[in-house]
Amino acid sequence: RIASGAPGVSGLEGYTLASWGRPNSSVQGVVKIQVRVNSRGKVISANYAGGSGSAASNMSVRRSCEQASLQSQFSVPKNTITEGVGVITWKFE
């Protein structure tokens, strides 16, 4: 399975997810990845932050979600000079 649609994003007020990677999963569930986004909208770190279902307990799915999160790009609020931290939620059905 590949996550369908846009992943959910929380904690990054004013940031818009412009593009995102495509994680793979053969199981269902939700995987949450904490991301750090620089002032140019590039995800510079991505770490597993929780989830539910079989996808969350599967190490390869979690790694796939971390990699897809690192490939993601955000549009940042005007005049942003600092990094933002938030969570990307990947849902597999």
Side-chain angles (χ1 to χ4, degrees):
R1 289 187 177 95
I2 296 176
S4 61
V9 177
S10 61
L12 287 164
E13 292 301 317
Y15 288 71
T16 303
L17 190 56
S19 65
W20 52 91
R22 294 283 181 193
N24 290 305
S25 173
S26 59
V27 294
Q28 296 181 343
V30 173
V31 176
K32 295 182 179 188
I33 304 294
Q34 181 175 2
V35 295
R36 182 175 300 275
V37 181
N38 70 14
S39 61
R40 293 183 308 274
K42 179 172 174 37
V43 176
I44 56 174
S45 72
N47 298 293
Y48 176 70
S52 61
S54 298
S57 60
N58 185 309
M59 181 66 80
S60 66
V61 174
R62 294 192 328 230
R63 281 196 191 114
S64 178
C65 290
E66 287 173 338
Q67 289 302 312
S69 296
L70 284 169
Q71 295 168 6
S72 299
Q73 181 75 31
F74 286 83
S75 297
V76 298
K78 193 173 183 172
N79 299 325
T80 298
I81 58 170
T82 60
E83 296 176 349
V85 176
V87 174
I88 297 177
T89 302
W90 301 97
K91 188 173 184 180
F92 302 95
E93 298 178 327

